[in-house]
């Protein structure tokens, strides 16, 4: 019989003794374990060997286990110190024994909790009364520690190993061991003689030019052999969705805004007609930064914003009549929304004066001092956007959202009237979670108020929004806990297996 070289080697090695493990065969043949496994399975398919699988438990000492192997178990050390001090005749003070045994720190408690359990004696009122008949040389757990160290855990009783494992001295692990045994057909084949088929495992340029390739036999690939799973790198699903959102908005005629993550409260809040005593502006909600205040803000804009806060805008306008401090406005914090970018652009500060119509967006990170839960993170991505134009209405706003979400397969957006200090009217957006069926909030929007637009020098309408990228992802993929998707607790398996939508 002719067989590939590796199979001949494995078959011959397997005939040496009964039932050999893959590792033993690898050692005997000098082949790699995975090569032996592949050959063994091929031989099994031809009926020449049997491959049996067994679950093997192996045990190893933890660092603490190693320490007790060298120094002795704490309870044994305590017992020996007690016997030396005559505690088998008359109880001896605990403190004295601890000194004599050299036990320190947590080992004292470990010694005490195992001492009585093992019948080394009793501890009563701080004194140790040792049992004269106990034999520390026969300590099962001490013997088991050495057995584990010598790789002979198989000889140790299960309950003793369980005890050592629960004491954190031993760690157990399981692996599948494959045992290869010759079948009767295998024995016959060997008796009749097997020879290695001369196979070639690599096609070379020389073989091609000489034409030798036509006469040789090529090694077969075993496409079913066990192989490690290779995980390729890929773009994170959130980043991929952010890019897709950007493409979509560019396709809808928007231009991208950019600007600082840490910004002056002036751009984050004051321009938005957010009163300086608004709860969102307190230190609970805001990530303040200990850096010098911002210098460069157009002075006339500061004046107009202050005046809007104090007196309002227009003929019958009314301000907040609450304190307004320029220092407060110049202080720096992490932005809690990207509407700060919209303010920079709408003021002309970022881009120069803008003539309507204009459309701008950003897909950028924002920071909020929220409590972490399945739908809230301290950092998340906001899809910010605004449209500047003559005679815009709520219908334009709704139509824009419907058009935007439709491109992500989401067609049942719902709107709920809402309040923002900077928009009137304002709407929250909701979408239905595909798994739980619940309505979840996905964004906030509105038409900027005159108190926002007038100080910026804008005479037409501006509609604007902030949508949560993570919530869009939840609607698209049915994720239920956003912490599975990003951050330190993310579920790598889920991220690997989720089929990315394009
Ligand atoms: N800044 C708002 C938020 O973070 C979103 C928004 C932007 C609302 C612009 C209206 C206008 O929720």
């Amino acid at each position: 019989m002719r067989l590939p070289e590796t199979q001949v080697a494995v078959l011959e090695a397997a005939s040496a003794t009964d039932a050999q493990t893959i590792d033993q065969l690898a050692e005997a043949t000098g082949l790699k374990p995975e090569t032996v496994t592949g050959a063994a399975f091929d031989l099994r398919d031809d009926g020449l060997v049997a491959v049996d699988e067994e679950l093997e438990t192996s045990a190893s000492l933890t660092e603490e286990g190693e320490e007790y192997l060298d120094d002795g178990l704490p309870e044994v050390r305590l017992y020996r110190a007690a016997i030396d001090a005559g505690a088998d005749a008359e109880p001896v003070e605990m403190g004295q024994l601890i000194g004599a045994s050299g036990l320190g720190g947590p080992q004292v408690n470990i010694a005490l909790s195992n001492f009585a359990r093992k019948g080394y004696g009793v501890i009563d009122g701080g004194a140790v009364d040792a049992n004269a008949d106990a034999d520390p040389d026969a300590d099962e757990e001490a013997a088991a520690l050495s057995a584990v160290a010598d790789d002979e855990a198989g000889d140790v009783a299960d309950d003793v190993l369980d005890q050592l494992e629960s004491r954190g001295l031993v760690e157990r692990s399981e692996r599948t061991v494959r045992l290869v045994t010759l079948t009767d057909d295998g024995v016959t084949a060997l008796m009749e003689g097997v020879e290695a088929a001369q196979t070639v495992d690599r096609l070379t340029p020389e073989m091609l030019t000489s034409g030798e390739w036509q006469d040789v036999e090529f090694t077969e690939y075993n496409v079913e052999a066990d192989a490690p799973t290779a995980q390729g790198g890929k773009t994170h699903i959130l980043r991929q969705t952010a890019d897709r959102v950007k493409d979509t908005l560019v396709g809808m005629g928007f231009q991208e805004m950019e600007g600082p993550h840490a910004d002056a409260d002036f751009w984050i809040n004051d321009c938005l007609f957010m009163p300086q005593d608004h709860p969102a502006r307190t230190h609970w909600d805001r990530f303040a930064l200990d850096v010098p205040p911002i210098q460069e803000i157009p002075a006339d804009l500061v004046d107009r914003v202050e005046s809007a806060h104090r007196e309002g805008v227009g003929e019958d306008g009314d301000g907040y009549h609450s304190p307004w401090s320029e220092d407060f406005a110049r202080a720096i914090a992490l932005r809690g929304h990207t509407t700060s970018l919209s303010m920079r652009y709408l003021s002309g500060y970022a881009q120069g004066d803008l003539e309507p119509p204009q459309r701008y967006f950003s897909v950028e990170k924002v920071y909020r001092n929220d409590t972490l839960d399945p739908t809230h993170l301290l950092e998340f991505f906001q899809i910010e956007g605004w449209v500047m134009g003559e005679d815009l209405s709520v219908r334009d706003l709704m139509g824009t959202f419907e058009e935007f979400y439709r491109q992500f397969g989401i067609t049942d957006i719902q709107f709920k009237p809402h309040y923002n200090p900077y928009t009137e009217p304002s709407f929250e957006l909701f979408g239905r979670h595909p798994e739980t069926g619940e309505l979840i909030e996905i964004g906030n929007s509105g038409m900027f108020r005159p108190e926002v637009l007038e100080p910026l020098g804008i005479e037409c309408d501006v509609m604007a929004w902030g949508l949560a990228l993570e919530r869009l992802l939840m609607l698209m993929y049915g994720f239920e806990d956003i912490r599975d998707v990003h951050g330190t607790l993310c579920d790598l398996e889920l991220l690997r297996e989720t089929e990315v939508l394009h």
Side-chain angles (χ1 to χ4, degrees):
M1 176 184 280
R2 277 161 73 96
L3 290 172
E5 224 168 332
T6 51
Q7 291 184 34
V8 174
V10 171
L11 194 65
E12 280 170 352
S15 71
T17 50
D18 254 7
Q20 296 189 62
T21 63
I22 296 290
D23 286 342
Q24 287 167 333
L25 291 173
E27 171 114 26
T29 54
L31 297 170
K32 287 192 204 144
E34 47 285 18
T35 313
V36 173
T37 308
F41 281 129
D42 287 339
L43 289 167
R44 181 197 59 186
D45 293 346
D46 291 341
L48 302 178
V49 301
V51 180
D52 294 306
E53 299 191 341
E54 274 175 19
L55 212 54
E56 188 187 80
T57 330
S58 62
S60 59
L61 296 185
T62 62
E63 220 172 282
E64 194 182 348
E66 297 276 3
E67 195 183 318
Y68 298 160
L69 179 70
D70 295 339
D71 302 344
L73 287 162
E75 62 275 20
V76 171
R77 288 168 62 189
L78 179 64
Y79 180 75
R80 293 195 199 279
I83 295 297
D84 289 347
D88 47 342
E90 199 175 318
V92 177
E93 274 313 301
M94 191 62 212
Q96 186 189 330
L97 296 182
I98 290 173
S101 63
L103 292 171
Q107 291 186 351
V108 175
N109 280 333
I110 296 173
L112 294 181
S113 58
N114 291 291
F115 190 81
R117 173 175 70 86
K118 290 189 174 175
Y120 283 136
V122 287
I123 296 156
D124 193 14
V128 177
D129 185 358
N131 173 5
D133 300 331
D135 178 7
D137 291 331
D139 191 295
E140 276 185 320
E141 290 173 24
L145 281 184
S146 337
V148 171
D150 295 342
D151 232 355
E152 283 161 4
D155 301 341
V156 180
D158 270 346
D159 58 332
V160 179
L161 270 187
D162 287 346
Q163 181 66 35
L164 289 181
E165 196 175 23
S166 75
R167 287 183 70 173
L169 306 182
V170 157
E171 266 165 0
R172 278 192 275 196
S173 56
E174 283 186 339
R175 68 181 195 125
T176 308
V177 177
R178 298 200 170 97
L179 289 168
V180 181
T181 326
L182 232 50
T183 60
D184 291 345
D185 282 354
V187 175
T188 316
L190 274 177
M191 275 176 4
E192 288 171 356
V194 283
E195 64 183 282
Q198 280 303 320
T199 55
V200 173
D201 63 2
R202 198 155 308 176
L203 180 62
T204 60
E206 292 73 34
M207 286 163 84
L208 285 173
T209 39
S210 68
E212 191 195 342
W213 64 271
Q214 295 175 73
D215 307 319
V216 298
E217 191 181 331
F218 288 100
T219 315
E220 280 178 36
Y221 282 108
N222 177 2
V223 289
E224 285 167 21
D226 288 347
T229 332
Q231 302 286 1
K234 63 176 181 182
T235 308
H236 190 284
I237 194 165
L238 192 60
R239 172 60 58 199
Q240 186 266 350
T241 311
D243 289 344
R244 200 177 145 194
V245 166
K246 291 185 189 189
D247 287 347
T248 304
L249 288 168
V250 168
M252 289 169 71
F254 286 75
Q255 282 175 268
E256 190 167 3
M257 305 184 282
E258 48 186 41
H261 292 237
D263 207 350
D265 252 37
F266 181 76
W267 296 114
I268 306 174
N269 288 307
D270 293 288
C271 279
L272 285 160
F273 197 53
M274 290 278 285
Q276 290 197 337
D277 56 3
H278 190 281
R281 301 189 66 172
T282 60
H283 62 273
W284 292 292
D285 271 15
R286 185 171 169 268
F287 285 121
L289 295 179
D290 189 10
V291 294
I294 204 164
Q295 295 302 331
E296 59 291 349
I297 305 181
D300 51 338
L301 181 58
V302 175
D303 290 345
R304 290 197 302 268
V305 167
E306 173 171 4
S307 151
H309 279 248
R310 290 193 189 281
E311 286 126 40
V313 297
E315 275 182 15
D316 53 353
D318 200 6
Y320 288 123
H321 303 287
S322 61
W324 195 88
S325 132
E326 196 174 319
D327 287 346
F328 195 82
R330 288 183 185 274
I332 311 278
L334 290 177
R335 60 187 181 205
H337 56 194
T338 34
T339 320
S340 53
L341 301 183
S342 301
M343 291 301 109
R344 283 172 168 265
Y345 275 70
L346 282 166
S347 72
Y349 184 69
Q351 192 79 346
D353 288 339
L354 299 171
E355 287 294 319
Q358 296 287 346
R359 298 184 187 90
Y360 274 88
F361 80 97
S362 66
V363 184
E364 279 293 345
K365 224 172 211 185
V366 300
Y367 309 85
R368 288 194 193 167
N369 200 2
D370 274 333
T371 305
L372 283 180
D373 69 22
T375 50
H376 291 89
L377 295 165
L378 300 191
E379 297 176 23
F380 60 96
F381 284 89
Q382 219 168 26
I383 307 169
E384 187 80 23
W386 53 264
V387 177
M388 175 199 264
E390 307 288 351
D391 296 324
L392 294 175
S393 77
V394 167
R395 290 206 151 268
D396 297 301
L397 193 62
M398 291 176 161
T400 305
F401 293 137
E402 261 152 25
E403 169 69 15
F404 172 75
Y405 281 105
R406 197 176 51 77
Q407 308 213 28
F408 294 86
I410 298 160
T411 49
D412 54 351
I413 298 299
Q414 303 198 20
F415 300 89
K416 189 178 109 187
H418 182 60
Y419 171 77
N420 293 314
Y422 40 98
T423 47
E424 181 61 33
S426 313
F427 298 92
E428 273 182 343
L429 275 69
F430 288 82
R432 201 165 289 285
H433 192 284
E435 299 297 327
T436 65
E438 269 172 87
L439 276 180
I440 59 168
E441 190 202 322
I442 54 175
N444 176 14
S445 66
M447 315 288 297
F448 279 128
R449 301 171 66 99
E451 285 84 348
V452 172
L453 296 179
E454 271 190 34
L456 298 172
I458 296 168
E459 283 164 4
C460 58
D461 295 326
V462 179
M463 62 186 205
W465 56 84
L467 315 173
L469 178 67
E470 285 80 355
R471 302 283 174 88
L472 168 62
L473 214 69
M474 290 173 109
L475 295 191
M476 289 170 70
Y477 292 100
F479 296 140
E480 286 176 38
D481 192 330
I482 198 60
R483 292 167 295 187
D484 289 343
V485 183
H486 75 121
T488 47
L489 300 174
C490 76
D491 180 345
L492 286 179
E493 209 62 22
L494 176 79
L495 289 173
R496 280 187 187 125
E497 280 165 15
T498 303
E499 205 176 310
V500 175
L501 304 167
H502 291 279

